[in-house]
Amino acid sequence: VSYVKEKNISNISIDDGDQELVSAIKYANSKNSKVLLSGKRAVEPTRIPPDYLLKPTSEILDNNSFGLVNISADKDDFFRRYPIYYPISNDSIYHYSLGVKMALIYLGIDNYIIPGFDSNNRIINISSLQIPTYGWGNTFALNYTGPVSSSFNTFKSYPLSNVLDTKDYNIGEATYDPDFEMYEYLEDSNWMDMYIDNTNPLFPLFSVNNPFSDKIVILGPSYAESQDLHPTSFYNYEGLNYPMPGLEIHANAAQQLL
């Protein structure tokens, strides 16, 4: 986009990814969906102070919330504990982790008071949410719902291609049919239209079972190339190894709190 502006190029239309995301978030908000974005506590040892907050740009964030995705592994690199919040230097606000923030929003807890620590019972209180801590630290022990969803369907998961697959979006490679003088997309089933488009012949059957209605939906990568697969308590399961995507660790945390 900046190149087009600098070169004063006309007669070309370019979609700005950030603007498309902003539009999508505003559309979701208009449908009474609350959008939670991700942020991160970043650390640079040579910086003073070494830690700082990485959050979405103000244009993308707007009036939406964000949660921190930082999770620390145990000494053997297994993920068994989940952080509740992070203090950040030069910042008076406590920033909650993504899984905790998901649970708070789902429970309708909007006024995030400073968490109180009940040292006698080792519980962190965030409004009406009470979280038993691991020891006297700022984490809780993860009680995983089950093994990785892609192999064992612990949580329902759907490929992004399905979610994008409406009559306005073609999935798969096109083949030309000379008899009908048209292109066919053989893998294009308009999957999402069955749930949201009342003109789809299958809408009456599928709309009542929309997989995303009244649910917490997490968008993120689960493929190995994302370098976000980690060993958990279900890593060695039924004789094989199953690393878990980071987004599913957050899902387990939120589910446990709820």
Side-chain angles (χ1 to χ4, degrees):
V1 175
S2 59
Y3 179 84
V4 171
K5 291 180 179 178
E6 289 172 4
K7 301 299 182 180
N8 197 27
I9 299 174
S10 59
N11 300 323
I12 184 172
S13 176
I14 295 180
D15 292 331
D16 185 322
D18 284 354
Q19 287 298 327
E20 291 294 315
L21 179 58
V22 170
S23 297
I25 291 173
K26 288 181 177 179
Y27 176 77
N29 289 336
S30 73
K31 298 295 183 179
N32 297 319
S33 293
K34 294 189 176 181
V35 177
L36 178 63
L37 301 167
S38 62
K40 183 179 181 181
R41 177 182 180 268
V43 177
E44 295 180 18
T46 58
R47 188 179 183 275
I48 300 175
D51 64 321
Y52 58 97
L53 180 65
L54 277 177
K55 62 180 181 179
T57 63
S58 57
E59 184 178 24
I60 294 175
L61 186 59
D62 196 18
N63 292 320
N64 299 285
S65 301
F66 67 94
L68 303 188
V69 297
N70 305 73
I71 319 175
S72 297
D74 289 336
K75 290 182 178 180
D76 59 359
D77 291 330
F78 275 68
F79 286 76
R80 301 185 183 90
R81 294 175 295 120
Y82 194 82
I84 299 172
Y85 63 87
Y86 283 97
I88 295 177
S89 298
N90 298 331
D91 196 335
S92 59
I93 300 174
Y94 285 92
H95 295 281
Y96 292 100
S97 58
L98 187 66
V100 173
K101 201 66 174 284
M102 281 191 285
L104 291 172
I105 291 176
Y106 190 85
L107 293 171
I109 302 174
D110 295 323
N111 297 318
Y112 305 132
I113 62 174
I114 295 176
F117 182 54
D118 179 353
S119 58
N120 293 326
N121 298 301
R122 292 186 303 184
I123 291 176
I124 286 182
N125 298 293
I126 310 173
S127 189
S128 60
L129 183 64
Q130 297 182 330
I131 307 176
T133 63
Y134 180 84
W136 279 267
N138 182 31
T139 63
F140 61 90
L142 278 167
N143 181 17
Y144 284 94
T145 304
V148 64
S149 295
S150 59
S151 298
F152 297 95
N153 206 33
T154 301
F155 296 115
K156 294 290 185 181
S157 59
Y158 302 91
L160 186 59
S161 57
N162 278 20
V163 180
L164 293 174
D165 189 10
T166 67
K167 61 187 177 185
D168 298 321
Y169 195 93
N170 292 323
I171 302 296
E173 296 183 0
T175 56
Y176 185 71
D177 187 335
D179 294 332
F180 294 93
E181 297 183 347
M182 62 181 292
Y183 285 94
E184 289 185 341
Y185 296 85
L186 300 181
E187 297 180 15
D188 191 22
S189 63
N190 296 338
W191 185 86
M192 197 65 214
D193 273 340
M194 296 187 298
Y195 297 100
I196 63 175
D197 184 0
N198 58 15
T199 65
N200 188 290
L202 295 176
F203 177 79
L205 177 64
F206 283 82
S207 60
V208 294
N209 295 307
N210 189 313
F212 309 120
S213 179
D214 299 322
K215 299 291 193 303
I216 293 177
V217 180
I218 305 177
L219 301 178
S222 59
Y223 46 85
E225 291 78 7
S226 69
Q227 299 184 4
D228 192 27
L229 300 182
H230 310 283
T232 69
S233 305
F234 279 98
Y235 179 66
N236 302 301
Y237 190 71
E238 294 189 350
L240 295 174
N241 295 334
Y242 295 98
M244 184 172 288
L247 66 89
E248 196 165 340
I249 298 177
H250 297 296
N252 274 279
Q255 180 67 55
Q256 181 177 339
L257 292 176
L258 293 176

